[in-house]
Amino acid sequence: MTLLVQLLKLEITIFLVALAGTVAIQLLTGQIKTTGLLQGTISGRPRDNNQYVSPERIQLLIFTLGAGLHYLSLVLTNPNPGTFPPVPQNWPAIVGGSNVIYLAGKAYSRWLGGAGSKNSKESSE
């Protein structure tokens, strides 16, 4: 039975390393496009003037990567092998709040962000 468990661990490790390697290679060669990953668009504006650097996307990316890396460190230092460590109690609120900030920014750029462009267009004429 221990041989089967060791074989499964090895297979899972090989699969995850191959998956990470494939993604890394495709990111480096440009097959996975990251252009505009941190940019948002504002509805109602002309196509050449609707892009902005999205702080809500940046904070969501930072919070997600930070939470994932922290949990990975908890898994690697887990004193009970074969089990996952419990998720810290304040994490759902923190990650949920981060997603609310992202969604609020998307809603603003969708429904209210274009309103300012109409007023500035009229005042420039």
Side-chain angles (χ1 to χ4, degrees):
M1 188 66 156
T2 59
L3 179 62
L4 181 61
V5 170
Q6 289 176 346
L7 183 61
L8 284 173
K9 284 183 181 180
L10 180 63
E11 286 182 15
I12 290 171
T13 302
I14 290 171
F15 172 74
L16 290 176
V17 168
L19 182 65
T22 301
V23 170
I25 289 170
Q26 288 185 352
L27 282 170
L28 292 172
T29 60
Q31 290 177 323
I32 296 177
K33 301 199 183 330
T34 57
T35 305
L37 180 67
L38 299 177
Q39 291 182 339
T41 57
I42 299 175
S43 297
R45 286 193 180 176
R47 193 173 203 80
D48 61 342
N49 190 24
N50 69 346
Q51 297 286 316
Y52 70 102
V53 176
S54 173
E56 60 271 7
R57 285 185 184 210
I58 294 170
Q59 68 85 26
L60 183 62
L61 179 66
I62 289 170
F63 272 87
T64 303
L65 289 176
L69 290 174
H70 182 69
Y71 192 73
L72 179 63
S73 73
L74 291 177
V75 168
L76 294 176
T77 60
N78 188 11
N80 304 323
T83 63
F84 284 110
V87 175
Q89 290 182 345
N90 59 350
W91 276 20
I94 292 171
V95 174
S98 177
N99 280 282
V100 165
I101 291 170
Y102 171 74
L103 291 173
K106 291 292 285 182
Y108 175 79
S109 68
R110 171 75 180 205
W111 292 304
L112 301 175
S117 65
K118 293 177 186 173
N119 293 339
S120 63
K121 187 177 178 182
E122 290 172 359
S123 63
S124 65
E125 292 177 353

